[in-house]
Amino acid sequence: METGNKHNHENHIHSGLLGKNTELYFSILCGILLGFGYLSAFTGLGPNVALGLYIGAYFFGGFFTAKEAVATMAKGGFEIDFLMLVAAAGAAILDEWAEGALLLFLFSLGHALEHYAMGRARKSIEALANLAPPTAILHQGGIEREVNIEELSLGDIILIKPNSKIPVDGVVVKGITSVNQAPVTGESVPVDKRPVDDVDKDYSTDEKIKPENRVFAGTINGSSVIEVKVIREADDSTIARLIRMVNEAEKQKSPTQLFTDKFEKFFVPSVLLLVALLCLAFLVIDEPFSKSFYRAMSVLVAASPCALAISTPSAVLSGVARAARGGVLIKGGRPLEDLGNLEAVAFDKTGTLTEGKPKLTNIITLAGKEEDFLKLLVAVESQSDHPLAEAIVNGIKEKNPDIQEPEPKNVKGIVGKGVSAEIDGETILIGNKSLFRDNGGLPKELEEKVTGLEQGGHTTMIAKKGVTFIGIVSLMDVPRAEAKVVLSKLAALGIKEMIMLTGDNQKVAEAVAGQIGITVARGNLMPEDKVAAVEQLDTQFGKVAMVGDGVNDAPAMAKSTVGIAMGAAGSDVALETADIALMGDKLIALPFAIGLSRKARTIIKQNLWISLGMVAILIPLTITGIASLGPAVIAHEGSTLLVVFNALRLLMYEPKK
């Protein structure tokens, strides 16, 4: 026998002639007829009028219950609703029409209110679908016209007006603006956007589009007009994929849900056996069959695991919906529960704990004026496309926007070492220690200064003009501004071990770790070494999360209990490989996700205690006759609604400041 679930909303329709709330209206009509039936006893209308009112109450109270039970039984399933119908039919057989009508009224009212409450959680998810507007202004051949977003093709140019929603994923090709990305990434501050360098390039397969160039469907444009090139069709936008994944997440059962499903498989047949035995109690004890049957029906109601069946799904649905609203995609109940049970988190360094790109950290002038040294650096390094050269030029120009550099000649790159050039007839060398070992070596004092910087995690470049060493510049992939705060919040949440895994050398790893509060730093790691480190943490702590970019760290993320991808908005690989995706490139979303998961685990445990506790109390009370059918129904339906509304508290979850 297959046990079904009365809460499988995807397979049942609860609306009718009176709209989506028909079930609730039927329940209220059932209650009104039941009330008039009770009153008829005091008004002298006679038993036939009361019976007619009770039968009417049976119809309105049992309509949707019977509809669900029959639909499920036709598919070979077994509904909790069926148990309620049997109990109501049993009451009618015993001529206890009032008790049966009370059962159907409270059960149908509880059912209707429960669907209403669960609908609130679903609305948080469905609201995502309404983020993107249905139409866009297509700019084609000098003509602007409004089209449905389904008509847009890759490469089309669309016009986005000020303070309007962006309809599809794309790149900015004209105009400068700021965009509110909170609906997709959870970022609270608008993000500045500017045009791409190459307007004609095909960006639809480019995974490395800069954040300042990219826009997402469902986000809100600022106060400027911009033109956007479409890079994803409407049904493949980030928001569309997010909706699909959140809906898919509902179907993935958590460990607790799997436990309750297994429990129900044994529990429901046991209850049916107990009810059958209680129906035969009149053969053993001195009482009429009617009393044995009535007691059996009371036990049937008391033991129906309605609250147990809905306790975990309602919490998972609410938790996933709240996470999505905060820019975090949690792919189902398992990662939601596992994330809240973690004591260890492993982090990739580059791009996760750090900015992912080198920044100018020190300028040390050894000879002449600093201004002349800066001009020389900009003149030579601006001729190179190396990331370090770009970082040096950008770092200097940020603080000295009006700098006027000389024109270098004969600029030559020296692979793996640096660059040479000529300025004012003198040879300029800028590079690492290896470059100068090939060109006469370094003075001892200068070499010690450079070594000291490198031990602190800096990458150093030495500059020499003619025969004179004129300065040192150092660069570093600096920690994210929020990294230290995030790690302290994780420690406050009970994360005992925070380990950084990186391919960079151990000195760099330790330098970054010391700045942000990482407990353990491991450098010089190949991808397979990261996997081994995650396995070791898993053995030590039982569960471990791996936080990375979803691309280079995919093997380690796959081995972890929970794989968490940073900056997953727009990234196919990150969305596919991770159990949890932080849609915005913001590390601060991690404590929010873990805090939410811990709250969800607490609520799931509370719901289990409420549901199992109520069954454990009601069964002996109804068997002994202390509680009759009416009180059993009230307690039973009360516990079902209690677990649902308890789960809905997750929709209002806010992280601690």
Side-chain angles (χ1 to χ4, degrees):
M1 183 185 293
E2 181 187 342
T3 56
N5 186 335
K6 74 169 184 168
H7 309 281
N8 189 344
H9 302 269
E10 291 179 356
N11 298 327
H12 302 308
I13 299 172
H14 306 285
S15 59
L17 293 173
L18 303 176
K20 64 180 181 180
N21 292 321
T22 301
E23 185 180 22
L24 181 59
Y25 299 146
F26 271 34
S27 176
I28 293 169
L29 282 171
C30 172
I32 291 170
L33 291 170
L34 175 64
F36 280 123
Y38 281 137
L39 288 173
S40 67
F42 302 101
T43 56
L45 292 174
N48 290 334
V49 173
L51 178 61
L53 290 167
Y54 290 144
I55 290 173
Y58 258 66
F59 172 78
F60 287 109
F63 182 84
F64 282 101
T65 304
K67 189 177 179 182
E68 289 203 3
V70 170
T72 307
M73 289 173 66
K75 297 176 183 175
F78 184 73
E79 275 281 357
I80 291 169
D81 300 69
F82 177 73
L83 303 182
M84 299 296 105
L85 286 177
V86 171
I93 291 168
L94 294 170
D95 207 26
E96 296 282 354
W97 288 95
E99 292 279 26
L102 175 65
L103 164 63
L104 289 174
F105 166 59
L106 290 173
F107 184 73
S108 63
L109 180 64
H111 213 175
L113 292 176
E114 179 188 310
H115 292 154
Y116 171 76
M118 289 293 288
R120 285 192 58 196
R122 290 178 180 275
K123 280 178 182 175
S124 290
I125 294 170
E126 290 167 2
L128 295 171
N130 299 323
L131 286 174
T135 61
I137 300 172
L138 179 63
H139 190 85
Q140 199 172 50
I143 300 171
E144 295 174 8
R145 60 189 177 95
E146 190 170 359
V147 298
N148 292 326
I149 57 172
E150 291 79 14
E151 297 176 40
L152 294 174
S153 303
L154 298 181
D156 281 349
I157 304 296
I158 58 174
L159 188 74
I160 312 294
K161 292 182 177 179
N163 305 310
S164 62
K165 289 182 178 178
I166 295 170
V168 288
D169 286 12
V171 291
V172 179
V173 293
K174 187 176 182 181
I176 296 174
T177 190
S178 61
V179 172
N180 177 3
Q181 296 190 160
V184 175
T185 66
E187 293 168 277
S188 57
V189 179
V191 180
D192 291 338
K193 302 293 179 181
R194 59 185 64 253
V196 290
D197 295 329
D198 185 358
V199 175
D200 297 321
K201 180 181 174 181
D202 178 11
Y203 290 92
S204 60
T205 57
D206 192 346
E207 284 276 344
K208 296 182 179 179
I209 302 170
K210 293 179 180 178
E212 63 263 29
N213 301 139
R214 182 170 203 151
V215 293
F216 301 105
T219 56
I220 303 161
N221 185 25
S223 57
S224 302
V225 176
I226 56 171
E227 289 185 10
V228 169
K229 185 176 186 177
V230 178
I231 63 169
R232 285 189 189 277
E233 292 178 348
D235 62 354
D236 193 38
S237 68
T238 298
I239 197 74
R241 286 182 293 146
L242 178 58
I243 294 163
R244 284 198 295 270
M245 287 182 173
V246 170
N247 285 326
E248 190 65 30
E250 293 179 50
K251 301 172 188 175
Q252 297 185 26
K253 296 188 176 182
S254 71
T256 305
Q257 205 169 339
L258 292 171
F259 160 75
T260 55
D261 288 351
K262 199 174 290 185
F263 177 82
E264 283 179 45
K265 281 184 179 178
F266 296 100
F267 181 71
V268 172
S270 302
V271 168
L272 292 174
L273 180 62
L274 175 62
V275 168
L277 292 173
L278 287 171
C279 284
L280 302 173
F282 73 99
L283 298 173
V284 180
I285 58 178
D286 186 19
E287 66 178 16
F289 169 72
S290 60
K291 189 173 182 181
S292 295
F293 190 76
Y294 183 83
R295 184 193 296 111
M297 293 303 99
S298 299
V299 172
L300 184 61
V301 172
S304 294
C306 297
L308 180 65
I310 198 63
S311 60
T312 306
S314 58
V316 168
L317 178 63
S318 298
V320 168
R322 175 65 186 96
R325 212 168 70 229
V328 178
L329 172 61
I330 299 179
K331 295 184 184 176
R334 184 194 63 77
L336 178 69
E337 282 198 41
D338 284 343
L339 186 66
N341 199 28
L342 292 171
E343 291 186 348
V345 180
F347 294 89
D348 172 47
K349 179 185 80 73
T350 307
T352 301
L353 291 173
T354 64
E355 296 284 354
K357 50 188 177 184
K359 285 197 172 182
L360 187 62
T361 50
N362 287 295
I363 298 172
I364 302 169
T365 306
L366 301 176
K369 295 178 181 179
E370 182 178 282
E371 184 183 351
D372 294 335
F373 179 38
L374 296 179
K375 288 179 180 179
L376 184 144
L377 286 171
V378 171
V380 177
E381 297 294 356
S382 60
Q383 304 299 309
S384 171
D385 59 359
H386 193 281
L388 292 179
E390 186 180 346
I392 290 171
V393 173
N394 290 342
I396 293 172
K397 285 193 171 182
E398 276 178 21
K399 293 183 178 180
N400 305 273
D402 299 322
I403 194 166
Q404 297 292 322
E405 69 272 18
E407 186 71 34
K409 296 178 181 178
N410 299 325
V411 180
K412 296 176 184 175
I414 304 166
V415 179
K417 296 179 181 179
V419 63
S420 68
E422 285 183 17
I423 293 178
D424 298 331
E426 289 195 88
T427 301
I428 308 295
L429 290 175
I430 303 174
N432 56 27
K433 288 189 289 187
S434 298
L435 175 65
F436 295 99
R437 288 190 182 123
D438 298 341
N439 289 272
L442 293 171
K444 184 180 179 183
E445 185 179 338
L446 178 55
E447 183 148 6
E448 288 175 354
K449 189 171 285 190
V450 171
T451 302
L453 286 167
E454 289 176 347
Q455 287 177 342
H458 297 266
T459 298
T460 57
M461 306 287 281
I462 306 156
K464 186 178 184 182
K465 183 178 181 181
V467 296
T468 308
F469 289 98
I470 58 173
I472 305 169
V473 289
S474 69
L475 305 102
M476 192 177 188
D477 181 9
V478 297
R480 287 175 178 265
E482 72 268 30
K484 191 169 185 177
V485 173
V486 166
L487 295 176
S488 66
K489 285 187 174 184
L490 293 181
L493 285 168
I495 303 298
K496 295 178 181 176
E497 187 88 345
M498 290 174 278
I499 182 169
M500 182 170 69
L501 309 175
T502 179
D504 280 349
N505 69 65
Q506 187 65 28
K507 291 289 184 185
V508 171
E510 288 173 359
V512 173
Q515 291 179 54
I516 59 177
I518 277 283
T519 50
V520 178
R522 294 186 58 182
N524 303 308
L525 299 181
M526 298 296 286
E528 58 268 25
D529 299 324
K530 291 185 179 182
V531 172
V534 167
E535 288 176 334
Q536 180 187 335
L537 283 169
D538 187 54
T539 303
Q540 184 179 351
F541 291 97
K543 284 181 168 61
V544 60
M546 175 67 195
V547 187
D549 61 12
V551 183
N552 302 326
D553 304 303
M557 288 167 67
K559 276 291 179 184
S560 64
T561 313
V562 182
I564 303 172
M566 288 282 298
S571 169
D572 293 322
V573 178
L575 284 174
E576 287 168 9
T577 57
D579 300 304
I580 294 174
L582 309 183
M583 300 303 289
D585 194 24
K586 299 291 181 183
L587 198 60
I588 199 70
L590 184 58
F592 159 74
I594 292 177
L596 175 64
S597 298
R598 300 223 159 157
K599 186 70 173 177
R601 287 187 74 246
T602 300
I603 283 177
I604 288 169
K605 284 181 181 177
Q606 290 171 351
N607 283 356
L608 286 178
W609 279 108
I610 292 167
S611 53
L612 291 173
M614 188 58 69
V615 169
I617 292 168
L618 285 178
I619 288 178
L621 288 178
T622 49
I623 288 175
T624 57
I626 295 172
S628 62
L629 188 61
V633 170
I634 293 169
H636 175 271
E637 289 307 314
S639 66
T640 301
L641 286 175
L642 183 59
V643 298
V644 171
F645 287 117
N646 190 39
L648 288 176
R649 291 193 298 132
L650 283 170
L651 289 174
M652 297 176 283
Y653 172 80
E654 292 296 335
K656 293 179 180 178
K657 299 295 181 184

